[in-house]
């Protein structure tokens, strides 16, 4: 077997859902290439469906069942070590490959045989409700299809990514990162180590359904916030963080700290007014964001945008406080990794709008109610 013209396809899975796995295992394979599938079940108690057992027996896949739940990073490490091909394609177990996926990647490899890796496109469906509209407008899924718009990037979600085995940080995925963000950390480390970005392959497309059929993603977004806080404290990523204005959760946390003083010295009403103005200003600002970005005027979408941002910020703040560190407070990571030590206290039109709304609301409160 030529290691150069070979690909290990690593699919971490907890569910072993045949409806997704069958299209992945049955993908058309380009001529002249050796393709091997490694299905890693990250669930020691999983029941192996008969179809998967047959694939294993026929040699179509190699099935590995983790003896304990290792999380996405540890599971991908198992898949990396299981194979030996020069190229490793990571695919999530809830994506559907579009025709020509492997052909698109092999064409890219032939064109750039020494590349650090390639990023495909993971497409979500059209929005189906206020939650999914909000996820799009907020940019929560923006990195999944970024290969459509950028020629290269420092990292991408590992739902659809091809990596060069010889250009990976030997430490692989950090198994201590359990909330999320392990893919950002690993790909950024490798990119910095080899001073190279991953090339986009916009023709390599998979389809991803809406999580839980478009239901509110409170737990996922809280976990994403915690993962963002974890990786922002890592030295190679911390260089790309900057001080910023306090977000809603940080303001509310400060108000909570000041509450005993407010009760003691009689300014608790002012604290309440500030806290309320934060919420109302966020909703008003998100009404405008929805109109500017998607040309929809919807209170429901504005509330969902507010909820998405609040839950993410809560996860970020909770992770920082749980780690007994102040490094995550009023500090954000520039995940575009444009340059080290980015300028602090960045403004954009939405931050300015929110400040204006807060100022107006507090002025009205002190004029008419204080």
């Amino acid at each position: 077997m030529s290691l150069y013209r070979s690909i290990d396809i690593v699919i971490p899975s907890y569910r072993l859902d045949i409806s997704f796995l069958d299209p992945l295992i049955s993908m058309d394979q380009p001529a002249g290439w050796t393709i091997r599938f490694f299905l890693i079940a990250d669930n020691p108690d999983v029941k192996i469906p008969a179809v998967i057992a047959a694939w294993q027996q026929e040699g179509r896949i190699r099935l590995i069942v983790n003896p304990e739940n290792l999380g996405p990073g540890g599971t991908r490490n198992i898949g990396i070590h299981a194979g030996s091909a020069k190229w490793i394609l990571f695919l999530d177990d809830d994506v559907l490959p579009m025709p020509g996926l492997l052909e698109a990647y092999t064409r890219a490899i032939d064109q750039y045989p020494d590349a650090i890796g390639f990023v495909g496109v993971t497409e979500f469906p059209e929005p189906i409700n206020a939650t999914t509209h909000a996820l799009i407008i907020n940019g929560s899924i923006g990195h999944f299809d970024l290969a459509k718009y950028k020629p290269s990037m420092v990292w991408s979600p590992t739902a659809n990514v091809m990596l060069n085995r010889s250009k990976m940080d030997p430490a692989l995925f950090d198994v201590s990162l359990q909330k999320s963000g392990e893919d950002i950390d690993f790909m950024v480390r490798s990119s910095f180590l080899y001073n190279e970005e991953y090339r986009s392959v916009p023709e390599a497309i998979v389809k991803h359904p809406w999580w839980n059929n478009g239901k509110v993603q409170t737990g996922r977004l809280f976990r994403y916030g915690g993962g963002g806080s974890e990786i922002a404290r890592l030295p190679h990523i911390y260089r790309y963080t900057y001080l910023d204005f306090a977000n809603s959760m940080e303001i509310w946390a400060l108000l909570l700290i000041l509450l005993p003083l407010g009760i003691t010295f009689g300014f608790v009403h002012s604290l309440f007014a500030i806290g309320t103005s934060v919420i109302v200003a966020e909703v008003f600002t998100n009404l405008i964001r929805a109109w500017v970005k998607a040309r929809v005027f919807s209170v429901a979408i504005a509330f969902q945008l507010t909820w998405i941002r609040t839950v993410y910020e809560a996860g970020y703040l909770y992770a920082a406080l749980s780690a007994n560190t102040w490094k995550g407070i009023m500090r954000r990571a520039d995940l575009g990794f444009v340059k080290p030590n980015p300028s602090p206290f960045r403004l954009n039109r939405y931050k300015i709008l929110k400040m204006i709304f807060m100022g107006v609301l507090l002025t009205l409160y002190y004029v008419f109610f204080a």
Side-chain angles (χ1 to χ4, degrees), residues 13 40 42 71 107 122 129 132-133 146 149 153 156 176 222 243 250 263 267 275 280 291 311 317 337 347-349 361:
S13 182
I40 320 297
D42 192 29
R107 284 195 303 270
T122 301
N129 54 21
T132 51
H133 267 291
L146 201 55
Y149 313 105
M153 58 199 78
S156 173
S176 71
F222 187 85
L243 285 172
E250 289 164 344
I263 294 172
F267 60 88
V280 177
W291 175 254
V311 170
L317 181 63
F337 297 96
L347 284 172
N348 58 42
R349 57 188 170 185
L361 290 166

Side-chain angles (χ1 to χ4, degrees), residues 256-320:
L256 189 61
I257 292 171
L258 292 175
L259 185 59
L261 289 176
I263 294 172
T264 302
F265 295 102
F267 60 88
V268 68
H269 295 295
S270 293
L271 298 180
F272 178 78
I274 295 171
T276 303
S277 73
V278 170
I279 301 172
V280 177
E282 186 83 51
V283 174
F284 282 169
T285 302
N286 286 327
L287 274 171
I288 295 172
R289 286 180 74 213
W291 175 254
V292 170
K293 292 192 173 186
R295 287 296 184 264
V296 290
F297 187 83
S298 166
V299 174
I301 292 175
F303 272 111
Q304 284 298 321
L305 275 167
T306 302
W307 183 248
I308 285 170
R309 293 173 66 84
T310 301
V311 170
Y312 181 91
E313 291 168 2
Y316 198 100
L317 181 63
Y318 178 79

